[in-house]
Amino acid sequence: MSLSIKDIARLSGVSTATVSRTLSAPEKVTRQTREQVMQVVEEHGYRVNSMARNLRRQRADSVLALVPDLGNPFFSAIFAGIQDRLSQAGVDLLVADNRSLHPSGRSVLSQLRDARADGLICLDGGFSDEARRELAASGMENRVVFACEWPMAGGFPSVRSDNREGMRLAIDYLAGLGHRCIAYCAGPAGNVLNIERRAGAQEALAAHGLTLPDSRVFEGDFSLQAGEKAAQVFVEMAERPTAVICASDQLAMGLIHGLSKHGIHAPRDVSVMGFDDIITSAYFLPALTTIRQNRLGLGVEAATVLLDLIDGKSVPRDHVVTLPVSLQIRASTAVPR
Amino acid sequence: MSLSIKDIARLSGVSTATVSRTLSAPEKVTRQTREQVMQVVEEHGYRVNSMARNLRRQRADSVLALVPDLGNPFFSAIFAGIQDRLSQAGVDLLVADNRSLHPSGRSVLSQLRDARADGLICLDGGFSDEARRELAASGMENRVVFACEWPMAGGFPSVRSDNREGMRLAIDYLAGLGHRCIAYCAGPAGNVLNIERRAGAQEALAAHGLTLPDSRVFEGDFSLQAGEKAAQVFVEMAERPTAVICASDQLAMGLIHGLSKHGIHAPRDVSVMGFDDIITSAYFLPALTTIRQNRLGLGVEAATVLLDLIDGKSVPRDHVVTLPVSLQIRASTAVPR
DNA sequence: TTGAAAGCGCTACCAC
DNA sequence: GTGGTAGCGCTTTCAA
């Protein structure tokens, strides 16, 4: 066991109150006392016990990030952003997978009720009613912010990319290249990002006098596998699109990979675009033309909003921070044959 | 503020001691009392305050995972494994980036001293002497386990892939294909994985009567960029190797990408192998022949060892768990021209 | 500016 | 089997 504040008080000949002040509000203590105490503190490498401090202050000094799947590398950059911002504030980052349960069978969300975290950054828009209830019960409804995804029903601050604008950039670019028959390779049906992106694509297409019939939508999810499956659908189409805009980079990679097995090559035979700009996209063959999302920024902004919330600053219930996206033109797109 | 144990005690007509027992050692209480208490607990949705419990028990019920770079998607799968195992034990996962500092300027490692975490899973073998000292000061030296990487100097339990065997599999396969002039695309010079893999390759090469002269080693790090740089070196070689084994999949992708810019294609002109089997490898073009590491397993095993350590079970100081790797033959390798 | 002391919410010891 | 209670290590009034 290491030293406690009592030991430091005794060793430096002051009260525990003074030690506490020296450490957390040095200006409330004379310079002499401060130096005297600090010397003992340093000499013994004393550290405040955060469990005790937190109990007393009713604060956990940590924040929980909830993801649909911790194993999905897509989230790494967002985590990096979150942690970057939090560490500046001396707040810890707890991560959990939404699917995992506490041994007691309770959802991870109940950690909030356990007073283990001061707030929640949720990266999973598929927020069940039960989760919402759990949140309400924890008295934490106003210490939640969504990042990247968000719940369709709203009700929480959220930080997101400008998904519609991203699709507009993509479609404008493709249309500018001369494509008139453009397909959409979709993410999970109920997913808010997919819905938003699809709507964005449709809108932008309409602006060019183009349409997106259901027959030109490949249903799936955001995965590489789904992209590969879409390739199967593609080759069986009577009238093949000259370009496909995908709801994610992984879809685009899977699709290009799948198509190549049928001798169909991007961009020679079909232009393929992704969305996200994940790390490997620029090195894919062909390098992926895509819409860049600032995932690090998403994390930083979400953490910033949450920190404000925790500090009691007022943030409108439906506050939305929208981060810009950008078009990355690379090698997977070209003028139609 | 939510209800405390006192409220529950009052509401159910028993003492706080009994409520506590009911919740954490139900068998020590009569069935009747238990039911009586549980009803009140459920009715009010009472949850034990973990800050108070932890202070009292001198346990944080959480574990810290330290990575060299949170933004590196390579770690996601390991995190998933760690969290999976931890959640079974009701232990939380705290993540931190080794580069980030607490606002006070202290390293994140000092969190251990703060009593915020019961143990540490370190994914960064580049463990400084200072870090080691910090650890010693925290009285936590025996609650640390390394995963994936490990410190060269040893001294801690570690969970790792069978890196040498991986390289043996790779070289045997390449040699079997008929390659005699094989290059090694290296990771960071001081990195233990790189050292191990390079040594493994050299050993295996020797077994085939082959050598790995320094001129056939492309120095770099594990990144895509480094792979692309290696391509530059490759094209300038007088005698070009017919195969390159890379220290990571990202290196292999970067290399293949870079080479393709010079009209050199894998596997037609050169066979390229990776190491890791990251998620996009199977979908790369050409699909990457690689050595598969069980990253999820690495996480699970590391968490298991750490949980044992925390439980006070004795684990030898230099205990090593080695996980098997496997050869994934795909499309980036072929017989030499 | 400093100290005494209450108390954050819980667990575990001891007594019954 | 149950209750009373000390005390985990800290912060923060209140009084001096």
Side-chain angles (χ1 to χ4, degrees), chain B residues 1-122:
Chain B
M1 208 60 256
S2 52
L3 294 182
S4 82
I5 197 172
K6 268 191 188 162
D7 302 310
I8 303 303
R10 190 169 30 76
L11 258 25
S12 49
V14 299
S15 71
T16 60
T18 299
V19 175
S20 177
R21 281 185 211 110
T22 308
L23 261 18
S24 49
E27 73 283 1
K28 291 189 176 173
V29 137
T30 56
R31 201 163 73 94
Q32 199 203 326
T33 317
R34 187 163 57 232
E35 284 168 0
Q36 189 177 325
V37 172
M38 285 314 288
Q39 200 203 318
V40 177
V41 165
E42 269 151 32
E43 188 178 328
H44 294 84
Y46 168 74
R47 291 290 142 90
V48 176
N49 179 310
S50 59
M51 293 190 294
R53 155 179 282 175
N54 288 343
L55 172 59
R56 178 61 227 232
R57 298 221 278 204
Q58 301 289 54
R59 230 194 180 260
D61 268 350
S62 67
V63 149
L64 177 68
L66 200 57
V67 283
D69 173 15
L70 242 190
N72 189 336
F74 175 83
F75 299 112
S76 322
I78 304 182
F79 283 150
I82 293 175
Q83 138 91 18
D84 202 50
R85 181 68 188 81
L86 290 183
S87 71
Q88 286 171 30
V91 171
D92 288 342
L93 174 59
L94 234 28
V95 299
D97 194 307
N98 210 350
R99 298 166 313 182
S100 70
L101 290 176
H102 192 268
S104 63
R106 296 180 284 113
S107 88
V108 285
L109 232 39
S110 64
Q111 296 192 317
L112 293 174
R113 262 210 257 189
D114 289 357
R116 285 176 161 283
D118 298 320
L120 170 69
I121 297 181
C122 189

Side-chain angles (χ1 to χ4, degrees), chain B residues 250-261:
Chain B
Q250 293 203 18
L251 275 173
M253 292 181 186
L255 175 65
I256 293 175
H257 183 91
L259 289 176
S260 76
K261 291 187 178 166

Side-chain angles (χ1 to χ4, degrees), chain A residues 5 17 20 46 49 53 56:
Chain A
I5 197 171
S20 176
Y46 168 74
N49 179 311
R53 156 181 282 176
R56 178 61 227 235

Side-chain angles (χ1 to χ4, degrees), chain A residues 45 47 50-51 59 61 73 76 83 87 92-95 100 103 110-111 113-114 116 225 228 257 282-283, chain B residues 45 50-51 59 61 73 76 83 87 92-95 100 103 106 110-111 113-114 116 228 257 282-283:
Chain A
R47 289 292 140 89
S50 60
M51 293 189 295
R59 233 196 178 257
D61 268 350
S76 323
Q83 139 91 18
S87 71
D92 288 343
L93 175 59
L94 233 28
V95 299
S100 69
S110 63
Q111 297 192 315
R113 261 208 259 189
D114 288 357
R116 284 178 161 284
Q225 290 84 342
E228 188 166 29
H257 183 92
Y283 291 86
Chain B
S50 59
M51 293 190 294
R59 230 194 180 260
D61 268 350
S76 322
Q83 138 91 18
S87 71
D92 288 342
L93 174 59
L94 234 28
V95 299
S100 70
R106 296 180 284 113
S110 64
Q111 296 192 317
R113 262 210 257 189
D114 289 357
R116 285 176 161 283
E228 188 167 29
H257 183 91
Y283 292 86

Side-chain angles (χ1 to χ4, degrees), chain B residues 15 23 37 53 117 129-130 142 155 173 176 185 188 198 201 207-208 245 250 326:
Chain B
S15 71
L23 261 18
V37 172
R53 155 179 282 175
D129 284 349
E130 194 201 325
N142 39 22
Y173 167 67
C185 188
R198 179 169 174 173
H208 289 275
I245 167 76
Q250 293 203 18
S326 62

Side-chain angles (χ1 to χ4, degrees), chain A residues 22-40:
Chain A
T22 307
L23 262 18
S24 49
E27 73 283 1
K28 290 189 177 172
V29 138
T30 56
R31 201 164 75 95
Q32 198 204 324
T33 316
R34 187 164 57 229
E35 283 168 0
Q36 188 178 325
V37 172
M38 286 312 288
Q39 201 206 316
V40 177

